[in-house]
């Protein structure tokens, strides 16, 4: 406080000229102890409120438009095949169909390209009602084992898929690896096979650090129950990209995972034949399986959510700015009108 | 050295409830163990202690305690167990301990570190604080224990540390040195065997006291001689009564009685004496000062108690969330999810065969998972904030620094800061608090004639209220003004009294003033330079008055008083007269008078007496009825002007009569048992047939700035009650002078001072009296209440005031009448209770505290206010002038009443606002964080999978969101200090508890609910498909890291939105916290450690940052999350602005809002004329105690108090408290 500062300096003057011993307990002046630190004091005036809303609107709407248009440019084909790929006669007993090793699980479907799809066209599989984030599931893995051969025995966290029946460790152990997705897709157009590139579908950091070059599958899927895909025991885990993708567990029970890429442009109205090996059991828990073909833009896959959210919030803010302006016009409150002080208000109230 | 003592005292007071006074202290004489109960004078032990002086071997078998003291709580070994035990007495810590234990089991979804890290950080901080405080105490003890002292060994003085001192040792203490233990005073370098001591460390009094050694021991002074001293001391067991001591010294078969006069207590220091020799009586913890250290009952603030309820609500919320999750898990678990591996042998938690067990176990799982909902660091943060508020802001506030006495404010407890912001009732003592306790001789009445032309401030105030204006110039040219003397009447000055009608009366009057007292002259023996050390300021004023009338008392020897008398025999003649003082019959509260028997040089024997009118009038000789009547009128006149009166009388004694009486006196004086009582009885024999000389009137000045402070406080909605031991007239006058009562008010009086009461009382039947009083009080109360009803509901009507006296209050506090009393008094703007005992003060305080559930503050300066100070929510002691008792019992000590404005309106209000903000914010941030986790639970099959990495969760509270909230708790400031004082009405927001209502909490809860939904669903919804042009998808940890980033950013920004003022510390800490998170995640996700870690978050942040999704979401989510709060704040300010917001707006264009504050200072000493302040500061310090020499003596109240177990310390003049209430004084009759 200025006045205090001034007067305290005055006392200091007195002190200096003839320092009385008694003043030794006098607290020293500092902005901190006197709580006089310089501060900016923002007040939420209508002007600031309206400006803020307008500003948010002005910034958000272009961003929203940009991301929405980016999302619009993405061409996405979704084909649910879990039901259709079961022969009519077996639809009543889907479980028996999928669990039997005798049945023919090959299924041929065709999709039509709605718009021009520029390569690369990404192939995803989408699962539904699959709790990759279940606590029992998430923790059933051994990162050490995946990373280095030396930790092969380190399967303590992998229950119940840690060791094979003869007691030797399963590599890779755990429920996640065990339940590896094993449907396969092959694409052709006019009987011409479209090559699917399955390289580089996992995040680089996973490949290079989490999965060892010297770790080879061992005893995998050797038990009575087969959860999913088997692995080629001669390829190190760092090259098993399907596994790497699968092991990056999804956040939600509905998720997509990258299967591969078609590195050819697809023309509009092309009819693409997909041959699906429908091996994976989602029938027991009623999950859906979908095949997704999608291009990407800078924003990634088709994702209207961000754009819509930005547009909504931007629009809402502009609207609010308008509402506040109207409020300001029709129900104005003078800033700093003392009559709004509660003690003045009461007195006025009683005077009425 | 004195610094050490200061700290010793401070550390004792800091320790609060753990004060060593509560320890068992083994008494050694009989080797039995007994507990010292605090707050009471200990009963005397039946047995005696026998000490062989100067003979260590002889004392050896008894094993007295050593002289080293320890005030520490812990030692190296006990620190950890004891310190941890103390910490786990807090529920939150215990809860987290349990959670931590739970999280080591496989049930837990989180790694133990999640809970162990915050818990151990919190414990670490608390333990470091404890250790630091204890270390300071240890250092303090060490420096005291190692202080050097001279001890007689082999006929030489050897210097040894204090701690080596033993009972019976002969020690030498030099000038200005502290006594190392309780000593028996044997010999002094002063010729007459006296020494002067300062007892400031004991009771805060800085006036010197005389101690006198027994004549028999004066010779044991030089080491050779002292070595021959072989005495045996039989004395009482160690006790905590500072002012009593009984014992005998046996030398060469001669028994000499000992009195407190020969005792030098540890903690006192030697003054004006080269050195003294003494023998050690009590050592170390057995010394009186150590046994006296007082215990402050620990208080908790109302806000904290409300916080407990909030925590309970959170526990309820936690339970509810867990229950939902647990039931969900029981329903969800199913073998059909074959990928969960449930077919084989499954542990209980996931076994679909027993869904009930699954539910129960998941319940525990979720409790550990959601444990973040309980803000573990809240308590430690609050503690830190409050600690800094106390030590840095309150203690160092220059606005509360009193220049004259050099006293800064002192917060003695740090847990009541915010309580200061909600006080609704202030109970104030009068003397020393509202008034200055600076006595000035103002008027007198001699032989029926009034002298003195002054007008008191109270009279002036009265006149001004009537519309009369007095000239500022006070007094004529002849007026003499010095400290203690403000008298203006030429008729008495410079010998002019010789020409008055009754010069003989005048002479006796002046001699009585000059002789009958216990004042010590100090300094040069000249009119200008002499300094009087007195037990009460009244006495000093009286002796100063005598000096100015030409009877200059300048020297006191143990047997004589020497007075330089002018103009006695004839004008202009000056002579020194030595009056031999034969006996001093000291003042005490039951006697209410003091007498001196003196022999004139010519052999004339006179008893001079001064005392309360009631006791003097009872003892007057027959005759002179006119003077008695006129003097009584004058007494009433003075009393109603707010002056303190004292009657003077004398008695001529014949030598036969005196000799006979003196024998009885000596007998009484040497008795070992009930000495004081016997002395009183003997005094009674001679203090009769007195001749009235006249009376004195002393002005009790108001403290500086009191009226304006009271006005400010009442504008702030605080009601001020004055509780005083004074009589009604004085109390009412002071109330008028303080603006507490004015003539516009509707006043109610409930008084026992009526003829009817007196009539009944004269009959003396206690049953009848009590019945009559009860009826009277009941009738009065009903009458007042009925009258008051009219005004209750009108705002424009007059304010109400109630005046009630102690006797009526006693009956009004009866459970049946209490309701009416409360109803009436709560509707009064001001209440004055006069003639109340300390106990009643406490009762009134608790009546409002408990009966009306309002927050109360008591302020007082004296020992009689201790009970009231302890009873109120907040106790404030006035420091600097009076003794230490009130300060020792208080929570805050300030030097002046007017500093209450700063303490309440500035510090209290800010503390309250800040604490509310801190608590609600803590609540919000933890709820938000936990709720995101809760939403995730729904999508994990209720398995209790954690959303966040262990370290995120454990560091969330202690690193990423810890500092900014503390900064806000320290620096947030809605309006400046001067505006707070200029607009005291702002304080009402605190009284109404506007900022910590359930409604406020609900608003925060609503927004944290909303925000958590935004955090979870927005991050999740946007993360569904390929995330960049390479089409790769995210996993769980990518999403959760994204969400966590948003939470940290938003929660920190939300705090910024809540700030009223943003200093660089705010910006630094908030941006620092956000940066800390990024720094952490950059490092954390870049390294791979082989220990204890699934590589969940490896490289996650880099993966995230390689996508646009990250940036778009990071911009979007905080804005969306805060949008709700922003709209709310905007609308709230628009349509329902808080008062402080309006004030902010009014002053929003002030460049530096402090510029304009000069005119707003309310009674601020800093705006005073500095030169004058400094001049006053140079005056001898106002040091003495208010004793109430007049009828205002509150001393009798100590009897009630001690009966009720309320601690009232003994005063030197109060040692003989009667076992009966016979002597209870009557109210002054007008």
């Amino acid at each position: 406080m200025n006045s205090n500062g001034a007067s305290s300096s005055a006392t200091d003057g007195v002190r200096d000229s003839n320092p009385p011993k008694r003043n030794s307990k006098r607290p020293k002046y500092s902005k901190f102890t006197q709580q006089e630190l310089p501060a900016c004091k923002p007040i939420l005036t209508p002007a600031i409120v309206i400006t803020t809303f307008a500003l948010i609107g002005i910034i958000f709407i272009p961003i929203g438009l940009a991301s929405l248009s980016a999302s619009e440019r993405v061409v996405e084909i979704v084909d649910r095949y879990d039901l259709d790929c079961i022969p009519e006669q077996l639809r009543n007993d889907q479980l028996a169909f999928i669990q039997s090793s005798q049945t023919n699980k090959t299924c041929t479907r065709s999709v039509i390209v709605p718009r021009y799809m520029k390569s690369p066209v990404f192939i995803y599989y989408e699962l539904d009602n699959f709790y990759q984030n279940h606590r029992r599931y998430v923790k059933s893995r051994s990162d050490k084992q995946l990373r280095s051969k030396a930790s092969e025995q380190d399967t303590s966290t992998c229950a119940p898929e840690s060791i094979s029946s003869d007691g030797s460790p399963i590599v890779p152990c755990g429920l996640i690896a065990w339940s590896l997705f094993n449907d396969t897709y092959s694409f052709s157009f006019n009987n011409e096979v479209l090559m699917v590139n399955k390289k580089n579908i996992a995040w680089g950091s996973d490949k290079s650090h989490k999965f060892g070059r010297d770790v080879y599958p061992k005893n995998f899927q050797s038990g009575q129950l087969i959860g999913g895909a088997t692995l080629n025991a001669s390829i190190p885990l760092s090259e098993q990209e399907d596994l790497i993708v699968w092991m990056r567990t999804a956040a939600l029970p509905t998720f997509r995972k990258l299967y591969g890429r078609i590195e050819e442009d697809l023309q509009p109205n092309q009819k693409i034949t997909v041959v699906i090996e429908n091996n994976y059991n989602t029938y027991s828990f009623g999950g859906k399986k979908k095949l997704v073909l999608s291009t990407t833009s800078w924003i990634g896959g088709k994702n209207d959510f961000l754009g819509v959210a930005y547009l909504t919030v931007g629009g809402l803010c502009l609207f609010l700015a308008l509402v506040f302006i109207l409020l300001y016009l029709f129900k104005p409150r003078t800033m700093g009108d003392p009559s709004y002080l509660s003690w003045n208000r009461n007195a006025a109230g009683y005077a009425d | 050295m004195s610094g050490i003592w200061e700290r010793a005292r401070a550390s004792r007071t800091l320790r609060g409830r753990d004060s060593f006074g509560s320890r068992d202290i083994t008494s050694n004489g009989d080797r039995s163990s007994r507990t010292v109960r605090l707050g009471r004078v200990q009963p005397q032990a039946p047995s005696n202690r026998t000490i062989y002086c100067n003979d260590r071997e002889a004392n050896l078998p008894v094993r007295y305690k050593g002289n080293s003291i320890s005030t520490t709580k812990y030692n190296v070994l006990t620190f950890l167990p004891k310190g941890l035990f103390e910490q786990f007495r807090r529920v939150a810590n215990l809860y987290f301990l349990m959670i931590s234990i739970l999280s080591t089991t496989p049930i837990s979804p989180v790694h133990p570190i999640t809970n162990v890290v915050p818990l151990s950080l919190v414990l670490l901080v608390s333990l470091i604080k404890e250790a630091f405080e204890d270390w300071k105490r240890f250092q303090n003890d060490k420096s005291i224990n190692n202080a050097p002292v001279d001890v007689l060994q082999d006929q030489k003085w050897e210097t040894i540390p204090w701690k080596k001192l033993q009972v019976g040792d002969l020690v030498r203490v030099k000038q200005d040195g502290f006594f190392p233990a309780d000593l028996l005073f044997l010999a002094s370098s002063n010729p007459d065997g006296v020494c002067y001591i300062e007892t400031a460390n004991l009771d805060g009094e800085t006036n010197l006291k005389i101690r006198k050694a027994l004549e028999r021991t004066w010779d044991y002074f030089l080491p050779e001689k002292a070595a021959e001293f072989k005495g045996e001391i039989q004395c009482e067991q160690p006790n905590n009564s500072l002012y009593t001591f009984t014992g005998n010294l046996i030398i060469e078969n001669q028994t000499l009685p000992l009195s407190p006069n020969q005792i030098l207590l540890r903690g006192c220091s030697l003054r004006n004496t080269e050195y003294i020799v003494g023998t050690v009586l009590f050592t170390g913890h057995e010394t009186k000062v150590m046994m006296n250290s007082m215990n402050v009952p620990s208080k908790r603030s109302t806000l904290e108690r409300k916080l407990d309820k909030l925590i309970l609500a959170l526990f309820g919320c936690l339970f509810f969330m867990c229950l939902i999750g647990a039931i969900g898990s029981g329903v969800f678990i199913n073998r059909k999810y074959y990928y969960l591996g449930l077919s084989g042998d499954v542990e209980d938690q996931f076994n679909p065969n027993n869904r009930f067990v699954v539910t129960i176990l998941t319940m525990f799982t979720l409790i550990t998972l959601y444990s973040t909902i309980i803000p573990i660091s809240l308590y430690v943060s609050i503690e830190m904030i409050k600690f800094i508020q106390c030590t840095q802001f309150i203690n160092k506030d220059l606005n509360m620094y009193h220049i004259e006495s050099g006293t800064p404010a002192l917060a003695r407890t740090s847990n009541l800061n915010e309580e200061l912001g909600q006080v609704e009732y202030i109970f104030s003592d009068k003397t020393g608090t509202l008034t200055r306790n600076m006595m000035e001789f103002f008027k007198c009445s001699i032989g029926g004639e009034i002298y003195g032309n002054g007008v008191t401030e109270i009279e002036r105030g009265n006149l001004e209220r009537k519309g009369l204006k007095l000239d500022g110039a006070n007094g004529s040219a002849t007026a003499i003004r010095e400290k203690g003397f403000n008298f203006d009447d030429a008729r008495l000055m410079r010998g002019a009294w010789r020409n008055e009608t009754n010069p003989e009366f005048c002479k006796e009057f002046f001699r009585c003033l000059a002789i009958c007292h216990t004042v010590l002259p100090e300094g040069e023996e000249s009119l200008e330079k002499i300094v009087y050390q007195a037990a009460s300021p009244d006495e000093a004023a009286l002796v100063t008055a005598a000096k100015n009338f030409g009877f200059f008392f300048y020297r006191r020897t143990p047997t004589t008083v020497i007075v330089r008398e002018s103009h006695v025999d004839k004008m202009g003649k000056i002579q020194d007269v030595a009056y031999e003082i034969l006996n001093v019959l000291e003042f005490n509260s039951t006697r209410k008078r003091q007498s001196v028997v003196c022999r004139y040089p010519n052999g004339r024997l006179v008893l001079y007496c001064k005392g309360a009118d009631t006791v003097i009038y009872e003892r007057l000789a027959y005759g002179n009825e006119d003077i008695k009547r006129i003097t009584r009128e004058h007494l009433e006149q003075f009393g109603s002007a707010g002056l303190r009166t004292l009657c003077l009388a004398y008695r001529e004694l014949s030598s036969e009569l005196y000799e006979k009486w003196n024998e009885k006196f000596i007998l009484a004086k040497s008795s070992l048992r009930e000495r004081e009582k016997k002395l009183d009885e003997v005094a009674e024999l001679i203090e009769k047939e007195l001749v009235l000389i006249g009376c004195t009137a002393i002005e009790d000045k108001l403290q500086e700035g009191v009226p304006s402070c009271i006005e400010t406080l009442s504008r702030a909605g605080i009601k001020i009650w004055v509780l005083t031991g004074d009589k009604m007239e004085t109390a009412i006058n002071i109330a008028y002078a303080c603006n507490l009562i004015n003539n516009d008010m509707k006043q109610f009086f409930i008084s026992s001072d009526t003829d009817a009461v007196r009539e009944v009382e004269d009959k003396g039947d206690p049953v009848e009296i009590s019945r009559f009083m009860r009826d009277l009080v009941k009738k009065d109360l009903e009458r007042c209440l009925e009258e008051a009803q009219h005004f209750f509901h009108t705002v424009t009507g007059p304010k109400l005031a109630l005046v009630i006296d102690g006797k009526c209050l006693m009956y009004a506090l009866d459970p049946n009448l209490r309701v009416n009393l409360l109803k009436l008094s709560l509707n009064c703007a001001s209440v004055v209770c006069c003639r109340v005992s300390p106990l009643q003060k406490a009762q009134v305080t608790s009546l409002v505290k408990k009966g009306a559930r309002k927050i109360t503050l008591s302020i007082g300066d004296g020992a009689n206010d201790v009970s009231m100070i302890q009873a109120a929510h907040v106790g404030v002691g006035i420091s600097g002038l009076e003794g230490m008792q009130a300060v020792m019992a208080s929570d805050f000590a300030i030097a002046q009443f007017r500093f209450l404005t700063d303490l309440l309106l500035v510090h209290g209000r800010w503390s309250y606002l800040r604490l509310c903000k801190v608590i609600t914010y803590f609540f919000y941030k933890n709820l938000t964080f936990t709720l995101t986790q809760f939403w995730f639970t729904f999508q994990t099959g209720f398995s209790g999978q954690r959303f966040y990495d262990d370290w995120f969760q454990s560091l969330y509270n202690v690193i990423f969101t810890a500092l900014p909230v503390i900064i806000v708790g320290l620096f947030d400031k809605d309006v400046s200090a001067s505006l707070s004082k200029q607009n005291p009405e702002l304080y009402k927001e605190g009284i109404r508890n506007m900022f910590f209502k359930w409604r406020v909490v609900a608003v925060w809860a609503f927004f944290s609910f909303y925000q958590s939904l935004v955090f979870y669903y927005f991050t999740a919804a946007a993360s569904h498909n390929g995330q960049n042009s390479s089409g790769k998808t995210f996993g769980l940890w990518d999403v959760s890291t994204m969400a966590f980033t948003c939470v940290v950013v938003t929660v920190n920004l939300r705090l910024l939105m809540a700030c009223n003022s943003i200093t660089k510390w705010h910006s630094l800490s908030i941006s620092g916290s956000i940066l800390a998170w990024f720094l952490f995640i950059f490092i954390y996700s870049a390294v791979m450690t082989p220990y204890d870690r699934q590589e969940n978050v490896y490289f996650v942040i880099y993966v995230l940052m390689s996508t646009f999704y990250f940036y778009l979401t990071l911009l979007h989510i905080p804005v969306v999350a805060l949008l709700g709060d922003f709209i709310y704040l905007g609308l709230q300010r628009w349509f329902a602005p808080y008062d402080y917001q309006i004030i902010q707006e009014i002053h929003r264009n002030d460049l530096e809002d402090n510029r304009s504050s000069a005119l707003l200072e309310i009674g601020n000493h800093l705006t005073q004329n500095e030169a004058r302040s400094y001049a006053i500061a140079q005056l001898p310090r106002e040091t003495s105690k208010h004793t109430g020499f007049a009828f205002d003596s509150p001393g009798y109240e100590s009897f009630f108090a001690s009966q009720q177990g309320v601690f009232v310390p003994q005063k030197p003049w109060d040692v003989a408290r009667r076992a009966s209430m016979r002597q209870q004084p009557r109210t002054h009759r007008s």
Side-chain angles (χ1 to χ4, degrees), chain B residues 972-1209:
Chain B
D972 192 50
K973 196 156 82 163
D974 54 348
V975 298
S976 70
S978 54
L979 284 175
S980 302
K981 285 187 276 180
Q982 191 198 6
N983 299 289
E985 291 88 351
L986 286 178
Y987 190 80
K988 288 178 182 167
E989 292 177 329
I991 294 177
R992 284 189 227 120
N993 196 13
M994 299 272 275
F995 303 109
F996 195 54
K997 286 179 177 176
W998 286 113
R999 203 174 62 89
V1000 177
V1001 173
V1003 169
W1004 278 100
F1006 172 77
F1007 284 111
S1008 64
F1009 188 80
Y1010 161 75
Q1011 290 190 5
S1012 64
L1013 284 174
V1014 169
F1015 292 135
Y1016 178 67
Y1017 284 104
F1018 276 45
T1019 42
S1023 66
H1024 179 55
N1025 22 16
Q1027 291 306 330
N1028 62 8
S1029 43
S1030 71
K1032 293 165 187 166
T1033 50
F1034 282 164
L1036 165 60
W1037 305 109
D1038 306 284
V1039 176
S1040 76
T1041 305
M1042 182 73 237
F1044 191 80
T1045 308
C1046 291
V1047 171
V1048 168
V1049 170
T1050 310
V1051 157
N1052 276 305
L1053 289 180
R1054 178 65 185 86
L1055 188 66
L1056 206 60
M1057 273 171 69
C1059 292
N1060 280 307
S1061 60
I1062 298 169
T1063 67
K1064 60 176 177 193
W1065 297 106
H1066 288 81
S1067 348
L1068 269 179
S1069 62
I1070 288 175
S1071 53
S1073 293
I1074 296 174
L1075 280 179
W1077 154 246
F1078 279 108
L1079 203 66
F1080 167 79
I1081 187 66
F1082 285 154
I1083 295 168
Y1084 181 66
S1085 65
V1087 293
M1088 274 188 153
T1089 52
Y1091 306 107
D1092 270 337
R1093 186 178 150 199
Q1094 303 272 49
E1095 254 65 62
N1096 300 320
V1097 292
Y1098 179 71
F1099 235 67
V1100 155
I1101 190 72
Y1102 302 104
V1103 165
L1104 272 173
M1105 288 178 78
S1106 69
T1107 63
F1108 276 101
Y1109 161 80
F1110 175 77
Y1111 304 99
L1112 287 177
T1113 312
L1114 193 57
L1115 176 65
H1116 189 240
I1117 289 187
V1119 170
V1120 175
L1122 293 177
L1123 198 62
D1125 295 82
F1126 191 73
I1127 296 170
Y1128 172 75
L1129 290 180
L1131 289 177
Q1132 177 268 320
R1133 186 162 201 130
W1134 202 309
F1135 292 109
Y1138 287 116
D1139 289 332
Y1140 78 84
Q1141 293 178 322
I1142 303 279
I1143 301 289
Q1144 278 176 344
E1145 287 163 10
I1146 294 175
H1147 297 274
R1148 71 184 182 282
N1149 291 327
D1150 296 2
L1151 270 179
E1152 241 326 292
D1153 54 355
N1154 309 315
R1155 289 273 144 85
S1156 57
S1157 61
L1159 63 154
L1160 315 172
E1161 297 299 338
I1162 293 158
N1164 194 323
H1165 68 280
L1166 285 174
T1167 61
Q1168 272 185 335
N1169 181 337
E1170 292 293 336
R1172 191 180 148 265
S1173 302
Y1174 183 62
I1176 291 173
Q1178 293 301 91
L1179 283 173
R1181 196 148 141 204
E1182 191 65 37
T1183 53
S1184 302
K1185 288 201 174 191
H1186 161 58
T1187 63
F1189 257 37
F1191 357 76
D1192 295 349
S1193 168
Y1196 75 92
E1197 297 150 3
S1198 58
F1199 175 76
F1200 294 104
S1202 62
Q1203 293 283 304
Q1204 299 291 331
V1206 179
F1207 179 71
V1208 172

Side-chain angles (χ1 to χ4, degrees), chain B residues 375 377-378 381 918-927 965:
Chain B
S377 51
L378 174 61
S381 303
V918 168
I919 291 170
T920 46
Y921 177 74
F922 255 100
F923 165 76
Y924 148 80
K925 80 179 167 85
N926 283 35
L927 188 64
V965 68

Side-chain angles (χ1 to χ4, degrees), chain B residues 189-259:
Chain B
S189 61
N190 287 352
D192 43 5
V194 300
C195 72
Y196 298 90
I197 60 166
E198 192 182 277
T199 58
N201 282 314
L202 252 57
D203 50 19
E205 295 182 30
T206 49
N207 55 327
L208 300 189
K209 301 205 173 62
I210 300 185
R211 290 291 181 268
K212 189 177 174 187
L214 293 174
E215 224 172 313
R216 179 69 182 71
T217 61
W218 285 5
D219 300 334
Y220 300 108
F221 181 59
L222 295 170
E224 303 81 47
K225 181 77 177 147
E228 296 168 14
F229 178 68
K230 290 279 180 227
E232 187 185 324
I233 299 166
Q234 287 179 340
C235 65
E236 61 194 17
Q237 286 297 332
N239 62 53
N240 68 349
S241 163
L242 287 179
Y243 302 107
T244 60
F245 179 79
T246 33
N248 286 314
L249 174 66
I250 301 162
I251 306 183
E252 292 157 9
N253 296 327
Q254 204 179 346
T255 304
L256 304 164
L258 300 172
S259 73

Side-chain angles (χ1 to χ4, degrees), chain B residues 524-543:
Chain B
E524 213 176 293
E525 293 172 353
S526 71
L527 279 171
E528 292 78 25
K529 297 222 172 131
I530 198 143
V531 175
Y532 291 121
Q533 294 282 0
S536 88
D538 300 65
E539 278 212 304
L542 293 176
V543 177

Side-chain angles (χ1 to χ4, degrees), chain A residues 181-344:
Chain A
F181 187 72
N182 58 357
D183 284 7
T184 58
Y185 313 115
S186 54
F187 300 86
S188 58
F189 169 60
N190 289 346
N191 292 330
E192 205 174 303
V193 174
L194 292 168
M195 284 303 296
V196 174
N197 185 353
K198 297 202 64 159
K199 289 285 159 210
N200 200 18
I201 54 173
W203 294 100
S205 57
D206 285 6
K207 261 170 75 176
S208 55
H209 288 96
K210 290 193 182 174
F211 295 83
R213 289 173 199 290
D214 55 350
V215 185
Y216 293 90
K218 226 187 244 176
N219 299 325
F220 191 64
Q221 303 289 22
S222 61
Q224 287 178 326
L225 274 170
I226 307 293
T230 52
L231 293 173
N232 185 340
S234 60
I235 302 175
L237 291 188
S238 63
E239 302 299 319
Q240 308 262 13
E241 292 205 37
D242 279 329
L243 178 74
I244 296 173
V245 168
W246 181 253
M247 299 270 305
R248 196 176 186 100
T249 50
L252 298 180
T254 303
F255 59 88
R256 276 181 194 181
K257 286 192 181 289
L258 190 55
Y259 178 82
R261 283 188 305 277
I262 300 174
E263 280 164 340
E264 262 174 70
D265 294 354
L266 301 181
Q267 302 304 325
N269 298 320
Q270 265 184 343
K271 189 174 179 191
I272 296 176
T273 311
V274 191
V275 179
I276 300 171
E277 287 294 326
N278 182 18
N279 298 320
Y280 202 68
N281 177 8
T282 56
Y283 302 99
S284 59
F285 53 90
K288 296 172 197 147
K289 284 196 280 193
K290 287 174 189 167
L291 169 68
V292 179
L293 293 176
S294 171
T295 60
T296 58
S297 65
W298 56 268
I299 200 173
K302 188 165 186 67
N303 186 354
D304 291 346
F305 178 81
L306 267 179
V308 170
Y310 263 102
L311 277 181
T312 316
V313 172
L316 185 70
C317 281
L318 284 185
F319 172 72
L320 282 171
L322 202 69
V323 169
F324 271 72
I325 288 171
L326 289 177
L327 269 178
Y328 190 61
L329 290 177
F330 290 109
K331 205 171 185 309
R333 175 171 85 77
T334 326
M335 285 281 112
D337 183 351
S339 66
Y340 279 92
L341 291 168
S342 64
W343 54 96
N344 293 336

